[in-house]
Structure formats: structure tokens, C-alpha cells
Amino acid sequence: QKEVEQDPGPLSVPEGAIVSLNCTYSNSAFQYFMWYRQYSRKGPELLMYTYSSGNKEDGRFTAQVDKSSKYISLFIRDSQPSDSATYLCAMSVGQAGTALIFGKGTTLSVSS
Amino acid sequence: SQTIHQWPATLVQPVGSPLSLECTVEGTSNPNLYWYRQAAGRGLQLLFYSVGIGQISSEVPQNLSASRPQDRQFILSSKKLLLSDSGFYLCAWSVVGGEQFFGPGTRLTVL
């Protein structure tokens, strides 16, 4: 079993839809959880950074962590064509200054 | 504000040739620095990380090496490239205990 599992998609939604992106993991020691957005041929851009369980909201983005289920989610409200990208989840055991374990990414396409 | 630079942006090299990719960070001191490779369908793989000048940790044994000659400079090298070295190479930085921020990447094609 891989440490971090992420459905690669592609996921296609109409503009304005609510998008749910998910990752599952096997290592219960993970404590720090991140979501990155990566446009084609660009470096990943950090979207959300959360510690332990709970929710964090930033504008149209909400990150959820359920450590009991080893499951993390990213919700995008009112999706826009500019949200079309690959979304990578990442997590670490220690603080984020050490090695991150990434999911393979989910490709999202938002049509206008 | 902090910025991270990588060059070159794109590189095409023959098998067996040497490699040198450079990464520099501005606007911060004593960052942790990282080299990742992103291959199609395989996600991001950590290759090396460094917590200070001359301090390199290797995560995956292979024909690549890394060096950190200055506080904000991180170099990825190879003496002889293999076809399997093709990929998108990403440098990242963080402060101790902080989030990692990525550079724009170098797309390497080995022919």
C-alpha cells in the first residue's frame, strides 16, 4: 500500500460547481497536511497548510483533515476556469521543514 | 519577500553527458533546501535536502548528487545522465518548521 493515495482523475466540472478533492494515507504519524496547486509546466504553489485534524478555510478553499479516518479533503467553492490545474496533497511526520510525501495529484478541469 | 529561481528552465541533453542545475533563494537566510523530481505518472519524489552549507541528505540513491556551496544556493549534478533521469526537477525552500515553497522548475529531457 502506498503511503499516500490520490485519485488522478481527470475531474471535469462546470464553472460554479463545488469541487471535492481527496487523499487517503496509511501512516498515522503524519501530522502536517498541505495542498498544492500546479499549473501545467509550472512549479507547485502552496494553497493550504494545516496541522492535525480539523478544518481551515481561505476564501473559496476549505481544507479538512480527519486523522481518525486517515483522510484529507480540499473543497473549492464557486469553481472558476482558472482553477483548472493539478492538485497535489502532501503530508509530513515532523514539521513541514522536513521531507514531504506527496500524492500523485488530481487533474481538475473547470469549463465555462 | 522571498523568491526562488531555477535555471535553466529547459534542457535537452544526450545520454552520458554531465548535468548541472542551479537553484537560488532570495529574501531569507539559512533556509532548508530541497530537490524533487516529478516524472509523468509518478508524482513528486524527494531527491536531496539540505539544512545548511555543505550538509546534504540523500533520499534516493542514484547517479545524481547535490551540493550547497553557499547559504542560498543549491546545485543538482550528474556526471553521466541516463534516459531515466528525464523529468521535471523542482527546487524548494522552507524555514525550519515551515511550509515548503517551490521554484519554477527545470524540464530535463535526456535523449
Side-chain angles (χ1 to χ4, degrees):
Chain A
Q1 182 185 12
K2 291 185 171 57
E3 278 198 287
V4 179
E5 299 273 8
Q6 185 176 9
D7 188 336
L11 181 62
S12 296
V13 300
E15 184 175 358
I18 297 174
V19 176
S20 173
L21 304 167
N22 312 294
C23 287
T24 59
Y25 62 94
S26 57
N27 187 348
S28 58
F30 285 139
Q31 295 190 79
Y32 296 85
F33 303 91
M34 285 133 277
W35 285 95
Y36 286 85
R37 177 175 63 194
Q38 186 175 24
Y39 292 113
S40 181
R41 307 181 81 84
K42 303 290 186 184
E45 170 194 11
L46 181 65
L47 281 178
M48 302 290 280
Y49 173 47
T50 55
Y51 169 71
S52 195
S53 286
N55 293 1
K56 183 175 182 179
E57 187 174 323
D58 184 0
R60 296 185 295 110
F61 299 91
T62 300
Q64 285 186 351
V65 175
D66 182 348
K67 290 191 71 179
S68 62
S69 301
K70 299 190 184 69
Y71 187 88
I72 68 171
S73 300
L74 177 70
F75 296 96
I76 306 174
R77 291 184 299 280
D78 188 25
S79 56
Q80 303 295 309
S82 59
D83 295 327
S84 298
T86 297
Y87 290 80
L88 302 161
C89 64
M91 47 201 78
S92 67
V93 173
Q95 290 181 309
T98 53
L100 295 179
I101 307 299
F102 282 85
K104 290 186 178 181
T106 299
T107 300
L108 171 66
S109 175
V110 182
S111 56
S112 56
Chain B
S1 65
Q2 300 86 4
T3 56
I4 179 168
H5 304 279
Q6 286 187 245
W7 63 90
T10 305
L11 190 60
V12 180
Q13 292 284 93
V15 169
S17 63
L19 174 73
S20 181
L21 303 181
E22 189 164 344
C23 170
T24 59
V25 181
E26 296 176 356
T28 187
S29 295
N30 197 30
N32 288 351
L33 296 172
Y34 311 83
W35 278 113
Y36 288 87
R37 178 169 58 202
Q38 188 175 35
R42 296 191 62 184
L44 273 157
Q45 179 186 39
L46 179 66
L47 302 175
F48 302 94
Y49 71 93
S50 171
V51 299
I53 295 174
Q55 300 179 65
I56 309 294
S57 296
S58 173
E59 292 293 306
V60 182
Q62 53 205 319
N63 69 320
L64 299 172
S65 62
S67 62
R68 185 170 177 173
Q70 300 181 45
D71 181 44
R72 288 169 288 178
Q73 184 185 30
F74 205 21
I75 296 172
L76 182 70
S77 303
S78 174
K79 292 182 180 177
K80 287 186 177 182
L81 283 168
L82 306 172
L83 284 174
S84 57
D85 291 324
S86 293
F88 192 40
Y89 288 82
L90 290 155
C91 180
W93 74 273
S94 72
V95 297
V96 176
E99 311 93 294
Q100 292 186 25
F101 299 95
F102 285 83
T106 294
R107 187 161 302 280
L108 172 66
T109 303
V110 183
L111 301 174

